[in-house]
Amino acid sequence: MESEAAQVNRKKEPTRPLPAGPRPTGPRVYGGRLLGPGAVAALTALAVTGCSSGSSSSSSTATTPGASSPSPSARPASGNQLQDAYQKVIADVLPSVVQITTATGLGSGIVYDGKGDIVTNAHVVGTATTFSVTLANSTKALDATLVAGYPESDLAVIRLTSPPSGLRPAVFGDSAKVELGQITLAMGSPLGLSGSVTQGIVSAIGRTVSEPQGGGSPGATIGNMVQTSAAINPGNSGGALVNLNSQVIGINTLAATEPEAGGAAAPGIGFAIPASTVTGIADQLIKDGKVTNSGRAALGITARTYFDQDFRPAGAVVVAVSAGGPAAAAGIQPGDVITKIGDATVDSLNSLTSALASLTPGTRTTVTYTRDGRSGTAEVTLGTLETP
């Protein structure tokens, strides 16, 4: 019910050969915008692009699978603590980051466990059920099949058909400990350059971003995303955003573009799904093959965008109320037009979805609505969004 997503600029590649072999690369671009109460005014003209493959940044560094690391004697004698920390994180985590190739494009993934489960974005998987996976320390492609996906959070799990020995599962960090200014490294396969690493910081937390629907994109509205200045390019989708403790703090998913500049990249604005969302969804997909607890807040209503007399969007009108649900318990009725959730203005179904995505089940919030031309409020304890 609460799922109507605004467009987000997503890049997913058509097929063309890479120099290293017949792997498809290159972007398909979809228009859109950044949404959510966390979005600042300076970003309202930006679009957000999914990272299933695209142009790389000058801050990117590519490594060749199987290449040896420089010997300690090759480093400056004085040493550099920050450089050493970067190189340690790369050595710890990069073996856990893989390249995923489908019939229509490529993206990245993260080794989740020793059984061969790999977590990635649902938009990387698309409609495919079989995949070719290349580990960071190998040039040999491995077969994999789909375990399950959850497009509502843009996440999916695939599994290696014959997992090799020595798989390196990644360590996922605590999302609650992610702070502004923390140094981050983004790892993945931009433009098919497997094992690439970029660096930046955590620029913001708690962003809510909406994605498009169609063209392989699931149309998710995702809350509590981590914003980073590390370059995230097409092909990075599904890869790792990592802290200096060698912990994955998010899955690289979106990068901003500037429509007024012809869709050019807006440097230093990327988004990652937080680790807590990733592990919560992936554990359910692996165990049950589906998601039974979305962890997403819901009112327990069916709604649509309401238009005023001038045909301008002016709220979300309640079409139906679930019996025994949060809205019903608070006295919200069909025909009510919701105009605010807490302090967040609601002028469409999409903005209602975005407002709810920034909250968690069990949160008590004020819902402002109009009924028969009169304004009213209701205190609602939010429930959990039911899964299909």
Side-chain angles (χ1 to χ4, degrees):
M1 136 257 147
E2 297 113 343
S3 65
E4 175 184 289
Q7 282 189 331
V8 171
N9 205 8
R10 175 173 299 290
K11 296 180 184 177
K12 191 172 175 70
E13 64 282 337
T15 301
R16 72 179 184 188
L18 287 175
R23 297 191 182 113
T25 73
R28 293 177 188 164
V29 181
Y30 302 86
R33 59 192 176 98
L34 175 67
L35 295 178
V40 295
L43 298 183
T44 55
L46 295 178
V48 179
T49 178
C51 307
S52 300
S53 186
S55 62
S56 60
S57 164
S58 60
S59 62
S60 298
T61 59
T63 63
T64 302
S68 59
S69 300
S71 64
S73 60
R75 298 176 184 173
S78 61
N80 184 309
Q81 290 183 347
L82 184 57
Q83 175 176 292
D84 290 345
Y86 281 14
Q87 291 180 330
K88 181 181 186 305
V89 172
I90 292 169
D92 288 344
V93 183
L94 196 58
S96 303
V97 180
V98 306
Q99 179 174 294
I100 300 172
T101 305
T102 71
T104 58
L106 62 81
S108 304
I110 304 171
V111 177
Y112 195 72
D113 57 36
K115 299 182 297 183
D117 291 316
I118 294 168
V119 65
T120 185
N121 285 130
H123 78 258
V124 170
V125 168
T127 59
T129 57
T130 60
F131 312 91
S132 178
V133 174
T134 306
L135 304 181
N137 59 353
S138 174
T139 57
K140 180 182 179 181
L142 303 174
D143 293 333
T145 57
L146 179 67
V147 174
Y150 186 61
E152 289 82 354
S153 292
D154 199 1
L155 291 169
V157 174
I158 66 175
R159 181 173 295 156
L160 296 175
T161 304
S162 299
S165 60
L167 280 178
R168 293 270 297 272
V171 176
F172 285 79
D174 184 350
S175 296
K177 295 181 179 179
V178 176
E179 296 179 349
L180 295 180
Q182 285 183 328
I183 293 174
T184 58
L185 299 179
M187 303 182 186
S189 299
L191 287 174
L193 298 171
S194 61
S196 293
V197 183
T198 57
Q199 63 86 28
I201 63 169
V202 173
S203 306
I205 56 176
R207 296 297 198 207
T208 298
V209 180
S210 293
E211 302 177 352
Q213 188 170 16
S217 182
T221 296
I222 308 170
N224 299 316
M225 294 190 81
V226 179
Q227 182 181 326
T228 181
S229 62
I232 297 178
N233 295 293
N236 273 126
S237 277
L241 187 67
V242 186
N243 63 22
L244 289 190
N245 291 323
S246 299
Q247 297 171 330
V248 177
I249 61 172
I251 281 189
N252 304 322
T253 301
L254 303 170
T257 63
E258 197 168 5
E260 293 182 359
I269 305 177
F271 301 93
I273 300 172
S276 60
T277 300
V278 174
T279 55
I281 297 299
D283 286 346
Q284 294 178 71
L285 294 177
I286 292 168
K287 180 182 177 183
D288 303 319
K290 62 181 181 179
V291 173
T292 56
N293 181 1
S294 67
R296 297 167 65 92
L299 280 170
I301 63 172
T302 300
R304 61 175 175 79
T305 298
Y306 172 76
F307 295 88
D308 63 16
Q309 292 181 344
D310 296 321
F311 298 100
R312 294 174 300 188
V317 59
V318 178
V319 176
V321 178
S322 300
I332 294 174
Q333 302 174 8
D336 291 348
V337 177
I338 297 174
T339 57
K340 292 182 72 175
I341 297 289
D343 294 328
T345 298
V346 173
D347 59 8
S348 65
L349 179 58
N350 182 72
S351 60
L352 173 62
T353 303
S354 296
L356 290 170
S358 67
L359 301 171
T360 56
T363 300
R364 189 168 178 82
T365 189
T366 301
V367 175
T368 303
Y369 61 89
T370 59
R371 179 185 298 166
D372 298 327
R374 297 182 179 181
S375 180
T377 60
E379 296 298 317
V380 181
T381 300
L382 298 174
T384 301
L385 180 65
E386 295 182 1
T387 57

